[in-house]
Amino acid sequence: MSDNRIFNFNAGPAALPLPVLKEIKESFLNYQGSGMSVVEISHRSKHFDDIINDAVARTKRLLNLDDKFKVIFVQGGASMQFCMIPGNFLGQGDTADYVNTGTWSTKAIKEAEIQGKQINIVASSEHNNFSYIPSEIRFTKGASYVHITSNNTIKGTQWADFPDTNGVPIVADMSSDIMSRPLDVNKFGLIYAGAQKNIGPAGVCMVIIREDMLELLPDNKLPSMLKYSTYVSKNSMYNTPPCFAVYTIHLVLKWLEETIGGLAKMEQINRKKGKILYSLFDSGKFYSGTAALDSRSLMNVTFRLPTEELEKTFIQEALENGFGGLKGHRSVGGCRASIYNATSEEAVEALADFMKAFELKHS
Ligand SMILES: *Cc1c(COP(=O)(O)O)cnc(C)c1O
């Protein structure tokens, strides 16, 4: 790789497209002839207005969103959404369904419960170490929303298709797979994504909200900063937004549209990348995937080696060979290769070659 950069398989914050990083570097001291850095200009300036409006417009084009969908940027990461969602959408007597597919779903559930909200856990894969995505779920009639985690960053599972919820809007945590594939957005009332996995740096969460969701709780007494309507009515600028993070997202989305060519292309590339690694698990016994076959994630590939000792050696030798971030999440151990949009096919192929050589040497 150029510029002494390693192949970065970090789970988050994670690799960003190299052309984006280069563009940031080149324009950092003087943004578009303003004589100022993009981190020095006013968020009330025309320059920043153009940046945030471009980020919104590109999001709408990439995901094919019509005008009922609003795109906003909220601070506090995806974790802030765990509390804002039940706070904004569940009033007295309302209920919501939650599907528990791992650490992040569990946290989302906890934040609803802390607020004393009525929620039903309609399915969970916890009894099987969260290794699969539940199917044939019975959703609650009249629920305000169904919450799911579309990609489970830690366990390496992903919803291949989204469930039929009888018209109840899906609220989805897409932190680790937003913009990795085209979506049928009509099933969704709200989509949120902490930026640092697939679309930008940490410090901001993209939220896509369907207009009618704003009416679920018209008279709520939430603080302004915790209310979706505040962000929608002020184009995410009720207070100072995380300008640099939004700027970077706008460049990543431009890369997705103009260099990659949209989400269908991105999905093709992501499928190829996934196949390169998963076929190593399926063709031998040295590496074993931890996710059920039909629930495998194309973003986070989780696997084990024959022994924990070998896993340590693997992670160490990988690093010495220029492959970083392969350690599994501290809560589960093992290994994980996060192969988000910005991770090139070349990087994944290089990793697969390294893995084959490692297997030969150690088995
Ligand atoms: C990383 C992650 C989160 C937490 O994001 P923060 O921005 O750190 O709050 C939540 N959900 C999923 C699926 C994630 O991958």
Side-chain angles (χ1 to χ4, degrees):
M1 284 214 89
S2 54
D3 302 307
N4 289 326
R5 288 171 54 79
I6 66 166
F7 290 120
N8 178 358
F9 295 94
N10 275 336
L16 287 169
L18 194 55
V20 166
L21 296 177
K22 285 190 165 155
E23 183 165 348
I24 292 170
K25 184 182 170 191
E26 268 152 34
S27 62
F28 195 67
L29 292 183
N30 188 347
Y31 183 70
Q32 296 201 347
S34 65
M36 294 174 279
S37 168
V38 70
V39 295
E40 298 174 309
I41 60 178
S42 168
H43 60 294
R44 305 287 176 203
S45 64
K46 166 99 170 48
H47 279 303
F48 190 73
D49 239 10
D50 289 348
I51 289 169
I52 198 164
N53 289 336
D54 183 75
V56 169
R58 288 186 190 277
T59 301
K60 288 186 152 185
R61 283 201 297 271
L62 281 159
L63 288 170
N64 222 350
L65 305 176
D66 64 32
D67 285 338
K68 341 188 254 299
F69 288 94
K70 307 293 173 195
V71 180
I72 56 175
F73 298 97
V74 184
Q75 301 188 49
S79 301
M80 180 69 95
Q81 297 307 306
F82 298 162
C83 103
M84 281 177 72
I85 288 159
N88 278 260
F89 301 143
L90 297 179
Q92 277 282 326
D94 294 335
T95 73
D97 285 354
Y98 278 72
V99 181
N100 192 1
T101 52
T103 312
W104 301 116
S105 316
T106 304
K107 286 193 166 180
I109 289 164
K110 182 175 153 210
E111 295 302 314
E113 287 173 341
I114 285 174
Q115 297 177 66
K117 304 293 184 184
Q118 275 301 317
I119 62 161
N120 318 300
I121 298 165
V122 288
S124 169
S125 50
E126 187 170 11
H127 60 99
N128 211 341
N129 202 18
F130 293 121
S131 59
Y132 71 100
I133 300 291
S135 56
E136 291 175 38
I137 303 166
R138 284 229 187 147
F139 295 102
T140 310
K141 252 206 188 122
S144 298
Y145 62 86
V146 172
H147 183 280
I148 64 166
T149 311
S150 63
N151 184 75
N152 298 280
T153 324
I154 294 173
K155 298 293 182 178
T157 61
Q158 184 176 26
W159 292 76
D161 302 296
F162 295 104
D164 186 358
T165 54
N166 297 317
V168 176
I170 300 178
V171 167
D173 178 357
M174 291 197 188
S175 294
S176 49
D177 68 350
I178 186 131
M179 303 285 177
S180 68
R181 53 181 171 175
L183 272 186
D184 172 10
V185 288
N186 290 313
K187 288 184 168 176
F188 297 89
L190 185 144
I191 292 167
Y192 63 102
Q196 71 273 23
K197 312 297 173 31
N198 222 0
I199 51 172
V204 67
C205 187
M206 175 187 276
V207 179
I208 298 164
I209 183 168
R210 209 172 66 197
E211 218 163 31
D212 60 288
M213 297 293 286
L214 295 168
E215 288 152 23
L216 277 187
L217 206 51
D219 56 349
N220 75 61
K221 298 272 192 298
L222 283 172
S224 308
M225 285 295 286
L226 295 181
K227 232 175 1 196
Y228 289 117
S229 55
T230 304
Y231 293 83
V232 170
S233 65
K234 301 287 183 190
N235 196 23
S236 307
M237 290 190 276
Y238 168 73
N239 74 327
T240 317
C243 300
F244 184 67
V246 172
Y247 164 68
T248 309
I249 290 176
H250 122 90
L251 291 178
V252 171
L253 298 178
K254 185 171 139 209
W255 170 81
L256 267 171
E257 270 198 302
E258 295 174 9
T259 305
I260 298 296
L263 298 190
K265 283 272 173 56
M266 193 69 252
E267 181 179 24
Q268 268 178 17
I269 298 170
N270 286 333
R271 285 195 179 283
K272 268 200 197 158
K273 281 152 50 185
K275 205 167 167 194
I276 294 169
L277 294 183
Y278 285 118
S279 68
L280 288 181
F281 311 161
D282 299 337
S283 63
K285 290 207 168 68
F286 191 76
Y287 300 103
S288 51
T290 58
L293 288 189
D294 62 356
S295 305
R296 283 175 166 177
S297 167
L298 289 178
M299 298 280 103
N300 309 97
V301 179
T302 49
F303 57 98
R304 308 292 315 229
L305 274 66
T307 66
E308 282 187 22
E309 212 39 52
L310 271 172
E311 285 168 352
K312 269 197 200 139
T313 313
F314 172 79
I315 291 159
Q316 182 57 37
E317 284 191 18
L319 199 58
E320 287 162 14
N321 284 277
F323 303 95
L326 292 167
K327 198 166 174 203
H329 190 267
R330 55 191 148 66
S331 66
V332 296
C335 303
R336 170 176 56 178
S338 296
I339 50 172
Y340 300 120
N341 288 350
T343 303
S344 65
E345 237 178 293
E346 175 207 5
V348 176
E349 262 162 12
L351 174 63
D353 288 344
F354 168 78
M355 287 171 72
K356 284 178 208 155
F358 186 90
E359 176 177 351
L360 274 180
K361 187 168 148 197
H362 292 277
S363 55

